[in-house]
Amino acid sequence: MNDEKNIKDYTIFLDFLSATAIDITKKVAGLELLPSERIPMDASEVASFSVKTSGDFRISLVLCAQLKVLQEIARHMKRQDEVTLGDIQIYSGEYFNIISGAFLSYVNNVQHTRTRFHIPCFSEGFYPAKSVDVNNWTVLPYKCPYGALEFKICNLDE
């Protein structure tokens, strides 16, 4: 992605990821996501889902969110008021898979590639860790009535 065309395509991909995240969050979780400035989050109140791709479009895609947001996503998807950390992993993980799948399908159609995601990983706290250089990550921050979440994307070929 070093030439101007690919940088432009990457921006288009970010726009699509943002629109997809907003649309799917409304449909699947019943939440209105609003783009925002980055909101400071305490690592003890955050969980992350991360996935890497293999193929022609090599990226890492991450969802970091306050647990209250993930709890609401799981509660809405499960259609029950009480949810456990296991429920959050399952339902919020599925939410992340839906967004990731729609995003990758778009990338493959535009780039005419066969890029695939590896199995997503769940982690308590931030991914990547605060100690990791985050200069290569593009962050799309959002807020909703339950707190903050952000999608992070990193080009693995840079």
Side-chain angles (χ1 to χ4, degrees):
M1 287 199 177
N2 294 331
D3 65 16
E4 188 175 320
K5 178 184 182 297
N6 284 332
I7 291 170
K8 182 180 177 187
D9 288 348
Y10 194 65
T11 302
I12 292 169
F13 295 147
L14 293 174
D15 292 343
F16 182 82
L17 176 59
S18 181
T20 299
I22 290 169
D23 183 52
I24 288 175
T25 303
K26 177 69 175 170
K27 288 178 183 172
V28 171
L31 293 176
E32 295 276 348
L33 284 187
L34 298 172
S36 72
E37 297 294 318
R38 289 189 81 183
I39 297 170
M41 296 185 274
D42 186 286
S44 66
E45 298 175 354
V46 171
S48 301
F49 294 88
S50 60
V51 69
K52 292 181 180 179
T53 62
S54 59
D56 298 328
F57 188 77
R58 295 184 54 246
I59 62 164
S60 182
L61 180 63
V62 175
L63 165 65
C64 286
Q66 290 178 313
L67 287 170
K68 289 181 182 180
V69 176
L70 297 176
Q71 182 178 21
E72 183 60 21
I73 290 170
R75 187 195 68 73
H76 187 84
M77 291 177 71
K78 187 177 179 183
R79 295 187 174 126
Q80 292 184 0
D81 288 336
E82 293 186 32
V83 294
T84 65
L85 182 59
D87 293 332
I88 289 172
Q89 289 176 351
I90 292 167
Y91 290 98
S92 296
E94 183 57 27
Y95 159 80
F96 180 63
N97 280 336
I98 293 167
I99 292 172
S100 300
F103 176 68
L104 188 59
S105 178
Y106 177 78
V107 168
N108 282 332
N109 287 335
V110 169
Q111 295 282 82
H112 305 290
T113 62
R114 290 183 178 248
T115 301
R116 298 287 179 251
F117 275 120
H118 294 272
I119 296 171
C121 297
F122 171 81
S123 58
E124 293 183 41
F126 289 99
Y127 182 93
K130 291 271 186 181
S131 61
V132 173
D133 176 21
V134 294
N135 291 332
N136 293 328
W137 291 84
T138 301
V139 180
L140 303 173
Y142 302 91
K143 63 181 178 179
C144 73
Y146 297 91
L149 66 87
E150 53 191 31
F151 287 89
K152 301 175 187 181
I153 190 169
C154 179
N155 179 355
L156 297 176
D157 288 329
E158 287 185 343

